[in-house]
Amino acid sequence: MIALSLRAASDGTAPFVTRLTRQPGNNPALSHFLAVTEAGSLWSGEQGVFELGMGPDDLFDDVVLVDPFGSRADRLIRKASSHNTLLVTEQCDQLCVMCSQPPKKTHVDRFDLLERACLLADHGITIGISGGEPTLHRARLFSMLESVLSARPDLNFHILSNAQHFTAEDALRLRSPFYRNVVWGVPVYAASGSLHDAIVGKIGAFEKLMESFVHLFRAGARIELRTVLTTSTVDSLDALANFIVYNLAHIEQWSVMGLENIGFAKSGWADLHFDLRCNFDVVGNALDRVKLHGVRPKLFNIPLCHVPAAYRSYAVASISDWKQRFSDKCVPCVARSDCSGFFAWHPSELVNEVYPL
Ligand code: SF4
């Protein structure tokens, strides 16, 4: 797996963000390479000399957050990756049965540092924002987005949100042209409040979600709906497809996603996991239904060879590079570059059940 966190040593007096470069320059936001060390590499910047626990070759042009007190550096934006996501909080007001990153009670505000990182990003990239639930801190979030996008209108953001907190006032703010560069990825698991609420572990969540959609649609917000496939969501997927067509047709995309075997989903795997190879029809019918009504469906996190040929064009190589895994049996497959593969922590016996194309 690609390391996102590195051991770091720095005499800096506070956490700082910097972009790692080959040569010295005049920009104080940059740090340049000095030498290879036993532990990794030595760099010099405005905050002094610091060491990172990785050689320089994979780090050039990465944007890193160095924490001198935690002796750690986070590779916030990696040059070579199209999967850069900033975690803005670990707090959440839902407790989804399949949550891949169970929430924490405390919040560490890093918005100023993350804003600096965005300003150092390469031209034109899309930066993911996730949590926890980012809109629990939406005043800070909106300020960060607007500040970054006023300076860097070339950037785009994709923000995962449970859409429990948008208000009528937010709708006015989200009408700003800045938000044409923002897509909101919003989970919806069922067409009924009782099932959706049970899955997200919050009574009234579905109703709140529908209220938020009103505000988001009023704002002209760009929305991607997300539905994770589990034994319970699959059963009602066709009803959900129908609901989307008739009530949420203004979305940009409906992403139907394979389950990630980590967090709560790991402990509940036996009850939650739905093997698409046994019955794809229910998923296929739902995809057909929304497609027929002009909604764009996509399949995320599902290996191409687990999808019938007629539906493979919907499948996206969606798993982030740092947690993507393939079977040894995938070596001869001609579709590998277009394939999602598996999560690094997917059960090994399932990873080996592949059918090279
Ligand atoms: S054989 Fe491997 S690379 Fe090919 S489609 Fe299946 S999982 Fe993907």
Side-chain angles (χ1 to χ4, degrees), residues 67-90:
D67 178 2
F69 312 118
S71 301
R72 147 188 180 144
D74 292 327
R75 301 170 72 190
L76 294 180
I77 301 178
R78 287 173 298 126
K79 165 80 175 174
S81 176
S82 55
H83 299 276
N84 288 303
T85 296
L86 306 178
L87 182 91
V88 298
T89 184
E90 294 188 84

Side-chain angles (χ1 to χ4, degrees), residues 239-318:
L240 177 57
N242 213 28
F243 184 84
I244 290 169
V245 161
Y246 286 105
N247 298 288
L248 304 170
H250 297 297
I251 60 166
E252 288 199 355
Q253 178 171 304
W254 182 31
S255 302
V256 176
M257 313 174 71
L259 185 64
E260 183 173 357
N261 181 276
I262 199 167
F264 292 152
K266 185 170 185 177
S267 47
W269 185 257
D271 292 330
L272 292 169
H273 180 238
F274 176 80
D275 193 338
L276 272 182
R277 293 167 306 158
C278 302
N279 180 6
F280 190 88
D281 286 354
V282 62
V283 176
N285 290 343
L287 300 180
D288 288 342
R289 184 184 292 278
V290 298
K291 174 86 172 166
L292 191 65
H293 288 83
V295 173
R296 181 172 65 176
K298 289 287 175 189
L299 284 170
F300 280 18
N301 311 344
I302 300 168
L304 276 174
C305 60
H306 289 198
V307 179
Y311 293 91
R312 282 185 196 143
S313 61
Y314 297 141
V316 178
S318 54

Side-chain angles (χ1 to χ4, degrees), residues 303-306 326-327 329-331 333-337 339-342 354-357:
L304 276 174
C305 60
H306 289 198
F326 288 94
S327 165
K329 294 180 185 169
C330 296
V331 171
C333 182
V334 296
R336 183 166 162 153
S337 60
C339 180
S340 166
F342 298 88
V354 295
Y355 319 96
L357 302 174

Side-chain angles (χ1 to χ4, degrees), residues 175-216:
R175 275 188 199 169
S176 154
F178 291 131
Y179 291 93
R180 295 313 300 157
N181 293 30
V182 175
V183 173
W184 300 92
V186 179
V188 57
Y189 295 121
S192 79
S194 54
L195 181 55
H196 180 87
D197 289 2
I199 290 171
V200 304
K202 179 179 169 185
I203 295 169
F206 186 79
E207 204 178 319
K208 206 76 190 138
L209 181 60
M210 295 306 129
E211 286 172 19
S212 278
F213 278 134
V214 171
H215 301 316
L216 287 168

